Amino acid sequence: MDEKIITSIVCPGCGCLCDDIDVQLSGGSIVQINNVCSWGIGRFVDRKKFANKKERKRPDGHYTRINGARKSVPLDEACQLAADVIRAAKRVLIYGLCQSGNRAQARIYRLGKKLGATFIPSEGPLVTMFLEQFKQNGLSLCTLEDVRNRADVVVFWGANPIHSCPRLVSRYALFARGRFTERGEEDRKAFIIDLHPTELTKVCNEAILKDGDDLALLRALRTLLNGEKPEEYGTVKPKQARELAKALEEGLYIAFFCGRGPFYGNDGKKFLKEMVDLVAYLNEKANCVLLPLATDFNTMGFYHTILRDGDCDVLGKSLMYDVRDWKPRKGDVVIGLGSDFIWFLSDEQKVRMRTKDVKVISISSYETLTHVNCTVALSCAMAGIEVDDLAYRLDSLPVKLKGIRKPMLPADWEILERLETSLKI
Ligand code: SF4
């Protein structure tokens, strides 16, 4: 049987895009993977992310619905049917976008612009807000290698990397030994700020638990850094806030990783603005960076596509922050790219979808709830496992994805090209 070992390939399992994965193939199937975390294993061998023993079903073709029943159709016919659905739409929404290679992102962005569509990136609640701040206040980014080599203070704010980018802590941010952090975690002060104790609570120097009042803590830190006494600390113990402020004061290279946590309340925008101000303030004395901790493997790729286009106005006009803000109405057509968008809807939205007869076109590598129940299902190969593509790491570094397994289905970007041809736009 044909045996092959491929070394140092990229895992498209999350925004870390680990590039040290070794894979052994036998007869075209993956039989061994080294260096990968359990999420990555799921990605490479079609298992569920949080339950590796369970198979994650893949579609074997393209489908439409006739009188409610699912019917298999050839790709060209499926694209034609999808084009008919889109032509009849009063409003087109495109959801997902962050779990696909950059080729597909570029094509769907071009298509969406022609259709006047609204884009709803799955990581929008976190990254769209960051991008708006970057637009106004500039960037304070760095590579993950910089974090590994130089960061002596690391703060995970409303972000649990174990549940978003599992190997971030071992490869870069906490345990990793770098050029100026040779003793790994002993050379770093790490803080986690979260609502509940997490896996990292045990290994971080300090865990500050609070009750959703991120803004109060942020303001207390700023006051402490100014050498004054805060009037309030929110629900945080003053001693914990003082220790964090001291670490920020003394740190030579401070890395903040920010998750969705602080953005859930109404103060999300205010929090981010003041966070960016704090980072700018700390940068006057030391190096300080702020990275959004997005989970989906190519979140930054979609935002790069927008920025490359030079049409930042799309941020204001055509981006919806969160799919939960969507109020389904008659004539809506949703195109889901690499996402199981029905899974993220509220019960009220699902009911409205049914009563307003919203049509869904799904482009997916998996038999998700959305893919199985949609109007037209266009099934595609997996970027980085079955077909080559490009993705942007969570620090915006572009990396090449390599197809190592023979694809049974076309790439998502090929499907999108055919769809655009069928639409004749
Ligand atoms: S951390 Fe992410 S990219 Fe790295 S192996 Fe795990 S799933 Fe793959």
Side-chain angles (χ1 to χ4, degrees):
M1 202 175 275
D2 189 18
E3 303 267 343
K4 196 156 63 166
I5 292 176
I6 310 173
T7 55
S8 303
I9 61 161
V10 173
C11 168
C14 75
C16 266
L17 291 173
C18 297
D19 57 0
D20 60 344
I21 313 297
D22 299 340
V23 176
Q24 188 180 338
L25 293 144
S26 177
S29 299
I30 296 169
V31 291
Q32 190 170 328
I33 319 168
N34 291 336
N35 300 333
V36 75
C37 74
S38 65
W39 279 24
I41 292 175
R43 196 83 181 162
F44 278 97
V45 294
D46 302 333
R47 301 278 149 176
K48 297 210 170 187
K49 198 169 175 179
F50 296 107
N52 263 190
K53 293 207 170 102
K54 288 194 186 150
E55 187 192 346
R56 197 161 179 206
K57 274 202 185 151
R58 302 284 309 278
D60 55 5
H62 316 284
Y63 294 90
T64 187
R65 294 208 159 260
I66 296 184
N67 298 329
R70 207 176 187 215
K71 183 184 170 241
S72 173
V73 283
L75 177 60
D76 282 338
E77 191 181 333
C79 286
Q80 198 52 59
L81 289 165
D84 293 344
V85 170
I86 292 170
R87 260 189 236 107
K90 288 202 180 118
R91 178 170 70 157
V92 178
L93 302 107
I94 303 177
Y95 177 73
L97 303 153
C98 301
Q99 287 277 44
S100 305
N102 195 242
R103 282 181 177 176
Q105 289 173 331
R107 276 154 184 89
I108 202 157
Y109 180 68
R110 183 178 70 192
L111 181 67
K113 273 187 81 179
K114 285 185 188 172
L115 294 168
T118 300
F119 298 97
I120 319 175
S122 46
E123 292 276 9
L126 174 68
V127 185
T128 300
M129 214 181 272
F130 261 85
L131 215 67
E132 286 185 344
Q133 271 304 321
F134 289 156
K135 238 174 91 182
Q136 287 161 23
N137 298 299
L139 302 164
S140 299
L141 300 174
C142 69
T143 64
L144 293 177
E145 284 74 13
D146 283 336
V147 173
R148 176 167 61 208
N149 285 327
R150 303 180 63 193
D152 55 355
V153 178
V154 180
V155 183
F156 300 102
W157 198 312
N160 180 0
I162 304 297
H163 289 269
S164 50
C165 297
R167 290 180 76 208
L168 180 74
V169 285
S170 58
R171 288 201 84 202
Y172 302 108
L174 190 52
F175 306 116
R177 295 164 196 269
R179 192 160 168 216
F180 302 109
T181 53
E182 287 172 358
R183 295 180 303 157
E185 65 174 311
E186 288 171 47
D187 280 337
R188 290 192 181 94
K189 284 191 175 149
F191 295 82
I192 184 154
I193 300 166
D194 216 320
L195 284 174
H196 308 288
T198 70
E199 294 86 344
L200 284 186
T201 306
K202 291 194 185 93
V203 287
C204 281
N205 293 51
E206 189 60 89
I208 298 176
L209 305 176
K210 44 95 190 127
D211 193 16
D213 53 357
D214 303 83
L215 201 52
L217 173 58
L218 193 58
R219 287 176 177 168
L221 289 174
R222 191 62 199 267
T223 310
L224 286 164
L225 287 166
N226 283 339
E228 294 158 21
K229 195 164 179 252
E231 278 176 18
E232 64 150 336
Y233 295 85
T235 56
V236 175
K237 288 184 193 139
K239 183 170 173 273
Q240 291 179 313
R242 282 199 294 271
E243 278 174 16
L244 176 52
K246 187 165 179 279
L248 296 177
E249 180 77 50
E250 293 172 355
L252 297 175
Y253 199 107
I254 302 153
F256 283 99
F257 289 95
C258 204
R260 287 190 193 189
F263 303 114
Y264 282 126
N266 295 330
D267 284 338
K269 275 195 180 172
K270 255 191 241 164
F271 170 82
L272 188 56
K273 167 134 193 17
E274 295 192 24
M275 185 78 199
V276 169
D277 286 346
L278 175 70
V279 170
Y281 171 82
L282 291 169
N283 260 315
E284 287 171 14
K285 293 187 282 183
N287 290 294
C288 183
V289 294
L290 173 63
L291 291 162
L293 195 58
T295 304
D296 290 352
F297 82 86
N298 198 15
T299 303
M300 300 316 285
F302 179 65
Y303 289 91
H304 272 265
T305 305
I306 299 175
L307 294 172
R308 250 199 326 261
D309 183 49
D311 183 9
C312 285
D313 279 354
V314 80
L315 288 174
K317 287 187 306 205
S318 318
L319 271 187
M320 195 184 281
Y321 276 99
D322 193 341
V323 73
R324 288 190 170 237
D325 296 335
W326 171 50
K327 200 165 180 197
R329 56 187 198 221
K330 202 152 188 59
D332 276 358
V333 169
V334 182
I335 305 174
L337 176 66
S339 72
D340 187 6
F341 100 100
I342 290 178
W343 204 84
F344 295 97
L345 300 180
S346 65
D347 289 344
E348 192 192 332
Q349 284 174 308
K350 285 182 207 160
V351 171
R352 272 187 77 91
M353 267 188 76
R354 270 196 299 276
T355 54
K356 301 291 171 189
D357 194 24
V358 171
K359 304 275 190 284
V360 178
I361 295 160
S362 168
I363 303 167
S364 173
S365 309
Y366 294 112
E367 281 281 63
T368 60
L369 184 67
T370 308
H371 206 62
V372 170
N373 291 293
C374 65
T375 320
V376 183
L378 299 159
S379 308
C380 61
M382 288 170 66
I385 307 285
E386 292 161 343
V387 285
D388 295 353
D389 213 314
L390 179 77
Y392 288 74
R393 215 165 61 173
L394 68 92
D395 57 356
S396 287
L397 191 84
V399 293
K400 280 187 182 166
L401 305 179
K402 193 169 167 49
I404 53 165
R405 209 169 57 191
K406 193 166 172 263
M408 309 303 283
L409 294 160
D412 42 9
W413 60 268
E414 289 176 290
I415 291 176
L416 284 161
E417 282 192 348
R418 287 205 202 193
L419 180 58
E420 199 170 339
T421 308
S422 303
L423 276 163
K424 299 191 180 81
I425 52 172

